[in-house]
Amino acid sequence: MGFIADRMSRIKPSPTVAVTAKANELKAQGVDVIGLGAGEPDFDTPDHIKEAAHKAIADGKTKYGPPPGILPLREAICRKFERDNDLKYTPDQISVGCGGKQTIFNALMATMNPGDEVIIPAPYWVSYTDITMLAEGEPVVVDCPADKGFKLTPDQLRAAITPKTKWLMLNSPSNPTGACYTTDELKALADVLLEDKHAHVHVMTDDMYEHIVYDGFEFATIAQAAPDLYERTLTLNGLSKAYCMTGWRLGYAAGNADLIKQMNKLNSQSVTSPATFVQWAAIDALDGPHDFIDAHNKVFKGRRDLVVSKLNACAGVECLTPEGAFYVYPSCAGVLGKKTPEGVEIDSDEAFVKYLLESEGVACVHGEAFGLSPYFRISYATSTEALEEACTRIQRACEKLS
Ligand code: PLP
């Protein structure tokens, strides 16, 4: 019997965090590396939110907070859902956590029994499968390749449901593809879940990138598109991405009050609550001005267009134009089977990404980490100059393959 728990062998460190760490390590050694692995905006947190945190600290908001989250923040979250999503929640339906990641962790820990299944459309955000496995559940991964716009279809959903299905996991706009579900697409998925024989299936929707959309795309979340699913939906969101608050660690979930109570119980026995002054500042973030988001989105859109056009000019690479988030997920099918100048065969997306890092100092994440190959993910939440240079290097690397 080993000292380390068996459950630890079911999971791996987050590959996106690992790529960022590797890129930083190389940079520290003086290697010229452009990191396109991190899923975090390069913009700083807006000043009014920082000032709210300073004030909260000065006002002594430095004591333990209650496990569900402070009431004024939960009230601000209820206002957000009503304003942005036309969804009515009361504070006892809200659980606040240390980032969206922890709220997903709490929701799965609170609901999964051994063998219960979670339907996860691939490519998926890396943590859905591993948190499911930590909670002793079974990820049921459904491939949604580029020719389906990286989106789950109603037929695929119907085929994946079993008596053991507990959750369908949805993420729109998506990390890693930037794909967004329209209201009609959400309604069509909801129709499947509303069939009598599927009444046991709940939906967890991760709306972390809600505000980061382009080309006039109208964001919708499933409980809004299909009000009949409201009782069975857990709606997740957080401040990390749109508010540029990744390091503040604040996320939240809204749903059935009995489930929320169990998630709060987990908070009470683990983190207690996110930092109290962060929660006070989060109220100012949610209630405050949002014009900076449009300004950021304009910059992101310019970068998206640049990256998509430059990647499509790379031999063997094909890239869709996503409608949201700050990622692209190009296919590298066209480079498989080719050889590097050193004679190494590119036999997988992992080998391609390794080649890009070693030959040109460009760090991206291989598609296998997100459950769908052969692709790779580029985060364009970095400076336009760095993106220009990175794409030039990728193009050069592709040309060197034969
Ligand atoms: N969900 C998605 C789809 C993400 O991309 C991320 C972060 O990368 C998270 C959740 C977690 O965000 P956080 O824990 O910072 O709120």
Side-chain angles (χ1 to χ4, degrees):
M1 249 196 335
F3 179 61
I4 301 298
D6 292 348
R7 80 175 70 85
M8 297 313 296
S9 64
R10 287 187 213 126
I11 64 163
K12 56 195 174 315
S14 164
T16 50
V17 174
V19 166
T20 308
K22 171 92 182 155
N24 288 340
E25 190 187 304
L26 289 169
K27 270 187 217 163
Q29 292 166 9
V31 182
D32 170 22
V33 172
I34 305 177
L36 305 179
E40 84 181 331
D42 54 325
F43 304 115
D44 199 3
T45 308
D47 284 343
H48 70 279
I49 304 174
K50 288 186 184 173
E51 279 154 23
H54 289 153
K55 180 170 184 312
I57 292 174
D59 290 349
K61 309 287 193 202
T62 54
K63 309 291 192 203
Y64 287 130
I70 57 171
L71 181 61
L73 173 57
R74 285 181 290 132
E75 287 169 344
I77 292 168
C78 293
R79 286 193 291 278
K80 173 258 173 291
F81 278 120
E82 183 140 26
R83 179 177 69 233
D84 294 345
N85 312 113
D86 234 349
L87 289 173
K88 284 198 176 25
Y89 288 109
T90 48
D92 61 331
Q93 292 180 281
I94 307 291
S95 182
V96 178
C98 300
K101 195 179 261 184
Q102 196 223 338
T103 54
I104 296 168
F105 185 92
N106 284 353
L108 289 172
M109 290 301 275
T111 53
M112 301 302 287
N113 285 316
D116 284 348
E117 294 173 355
V118 182
I119 298 174
I120 303 177
Y124 47 72
W125 180 53
V126 292
S127 295
Y128 298 147
T129 43
D130 283 33
I131 299 176
T132 299
M133 290 188 283
L134 259 188
E136 297 186 74
E138 299 291 333
V140 174
V141 173
V142 181
D143 286 358
C144 305
D147 62 4
K148 291 187 171 140
F150 299 118
K151 290 187 258 191
L152 183 72
T153 65
D155 286 344
Q156 285 181 302
L157 172 59
R158 192 176 288 106
I161 295 174
T162 76
K164 289 187 174 173
T165 308
K166 205 142 225 179
W167 291 102
L168 161 66
M169 188 65 94
L170 282 182
N171 172 217
S172 168
S174 150
N175 176 3
T177 65
C180 301
Y181 288 84
T182 63
T183 298
D184 284 347
E185 286 165 343
L186 291 173
K187 277 188 185 152
L189 292 175
D191 284 346
V192 175
L193 299 179
L194 289 166
E195 291 170 18
D196 286 347
K197 58 183 183 294
H198 299 154
H200 60 294
V201 182
H202 293 238
V203 197
M204 202 181 294
T205 173
D206 177 347
D207 298 349
M208 197 58 69
Y209 297 91
E210 163 177 14
H211 295 299
I212 306 177
V213 288
Y214 314 111
D215 308 327
F217 183 86
E218 295 234 352
F219 171 85
T221 189
I222 193 158
Q224 173 189 24
D228 289 347
L229 268 187
Y230 173 87
E231 277 300 323
R232 285 198 264 152
T233 301
L234 187 70
T235 306
L236 303 163
N237 214 317
L239 273 62
S240 286
K241 311 294 178 174
Y243 298 88
C244 312
M245 293 173 69
T246 45
W248 296 60
R249 311 309 302 129
L250 201 113
Y252 53 88
N256 177 291
D258 292 333
L259 168 59
I260 293 293
K261 211 182 270 175
Q262 299 304 321
M263 292 170 63
N264 294 340
K265 197 199 290 180
L266 280 169
N267 269 357
S268 82
Q269 293 293 12
S270 54
V271 297
T272 302
S273 77
T276 307
F277 49 87
V278 167
Q279 296 190 60
W280 284 97
I283 299 171
D284 287 71
L286 291 172
D287 284 344
H290 281 73
D291 42 347
F292 64 91
I293 295 181
D294 281 346
H296 291 174
N297 285 354
K298 276 202 185 85
V299 177
F300 282 143
K301 180 182 154 23
R303 293 174 180 174
R304 176 201 67 171
D305 293 344
L306 167 84
V307 168
V308 169
S309 77
K310 290 203 102 183
L311 287 171
N312 279 321
C314 296
V317 172
E318 270 182 65
C319 187
L320 294 184
T321 302
E323 285 161 313
F326 39 63
Y327 308 101
V328 288
Y329 199 65
S331 161
C332 56
V335 302
L336 297 187
K338 293 190 177 176
K339 290 213 165 90
T340 70
E342 292 74 34
V344 179
E345 183 177 332
I346 304 290
D347 58 1
S348 64
D349 50 29
E350 187 164 15
F352 180 58
V353 161
K354 187 163 178 275
Y355 165 65
L356 291 180
L357 183 61
E358 288 173 357
S359 71
E360 292 286 352
V362 177
C364 335
V365 188
H366 56 295
E368 197 245 352
F370 305 96
L372 195 75
S373 293
Y375 297 88
F376 59 111
R377 188 194 78 173
I378 284 180
S379 163
Y380 54 86
T382 192
S383 78
T384 308
E385 299 75 51
L387 289 168
E388 291 247 21
E389 171 63 16
C391 291
T392 302
R393 293 185 190 188
I394 295 172
Q395 192 163 2
R396 191 162 57 215
C398 290
E399 275 159 18
K400 281 193 275 181
L401 295 172
S402 52

